[in-house]
Amino acid sequence: IAYDVLFTEPAREPKEDAALAAALGDAKKVTLPILFEAPGANGRPFDTVLPIAPIARAAAALGHVALPHEADGKARAALLEVNDGSHAWPHLAEQTFRQAYGRPSPAWQSGVRRGDMSVLVPYREAGAYRTVSFSDVLAGRLPPAFIRDRIVLVGASAGGLGDRHDVAGAGTLAGIEIQANLLNAMLADRFVREAPLPLHLAIGALPALILLLLFWRLRPSTALVASLVMFGLVAAVPVLLVALTGFWVPPATGLVGVLFVYPLWGWRRLHTIDKAVARELSQLSDDL
């Protein structure tokens, strides 16, 4: 059970915290989140805030739920591990995977080998994962088989609670849906892999080269159509590659190449025509 709720403040009645700790102990494999509070004290970038002591001790494992956002405000990657300077904290989803299978996830092991604990997650839109009401579970309105022998994630999904994030390609997701997407990618061992720079440049140049070859055979009217079709293909193919193979090739280089080739070809064609006309006029002038 990944319980994506912060328990960093004690209850009004200590017996309530004791009861929750006892329930966590009975359930055994429950992972809880920690909080990175920024800015930290004494000039630190952030402080690590753990659940209150009795609950932290009862949890099977603690994990972070920090989500990096890029310059455009959208989240694309997840951090499988964050080091606060004194302790390396695996992600809550990673800790949940370890509780379920007794070993680190393949993504974490791969991150250790390459020295980069950041992964690109193939996020799905809101509602992609089956959810049930917390109250229905507590009231016993669900058959036990619904959650028996399953990994269960618990968290808030209501928009008014504030734990919502803009995610590239998936719109706005609640924090618990972020954890579900990351954990699902770990279970399937399927993350988005970005093309290395040499391959990125090679693939980006290929559409422009194909167009240049086509322009030798095509009429000007069909050359424009070919350019528009190639532009659409360059924009669509990366999306299909991510959906089918998890391989991401940024389309910007290819799109710029296609946009540059047609005007260049048109200028070169006009230049050739201009030279031919000038040559003919010169010959005509000499004949006269």
Side-chain angles (χ1 to χ4, degrees), residues 131-179:
T131 61
V132 295
S133 168
F134 191 85
S135 61
D136 286 343
V137 178
L138 287 182
R141 288 191 285 267
L142 292 175
F146 187 82
I147 57 176
R148 182 183 293 124
D149 298 327
R150 298 179 185 273
I151 298 175
V152 178
L153 282 69
V154 182
S157 58
L161 296 178
D163 185 20
R164 303 187 71 81
H165 308 269
D166 287 332
V167 178
T172 302
L173 297 181
I176 191 63
E177 291 179 296
I178 299 287
Q179 319 312 331

Side-chain angles (χ1 to χ4, degrees), residues 200 203-208 230-231 234 250-260:
H200 174 197
I203 295 177
L206 187 61
M230 183 64 72
F231 189 88
V234 172
T253 304
L255 294 176
V256 170
V258 172
L259 289 174
F260 179 74

Side-chain angles (χ1 to χ4, degrees), residues 84-159:
D84 62 5
S86 59
H87 191 280
W89 297 99
H91 196 281
L92 182 69
E94 172 65 26
Q95 295 286 45
T96 305
F97 185 99
R98 295 181 185 186
Q99 291 299 314
Y101 294 97
R103 55 179 172 81
S105 70
W108 191 88
Q109 297 178 56
S110 176
V112 170
R113 288 194 297 271
R114 68 174 185 269
D116 181 10
M117 303 305 288
S118 175
V119 291
L120 293 173
V121 182
Y123 288 108
R124 301 170 64 185
E125 294 182 353
Y129 299 97
R130 184 167 50 178
T131 61
V132 295
S133 168
F134 191 85
S135 61
D136 286 343
V137 178
L138 287 182
R141 288 191 285 267
L142 292 175
F146 187 82
I147 57 176
R148 182 183 293 124
D149 298 327
R150 298 179 185 273
I151 298 175
V152 178
L153 282 69
V154 182
S157 58

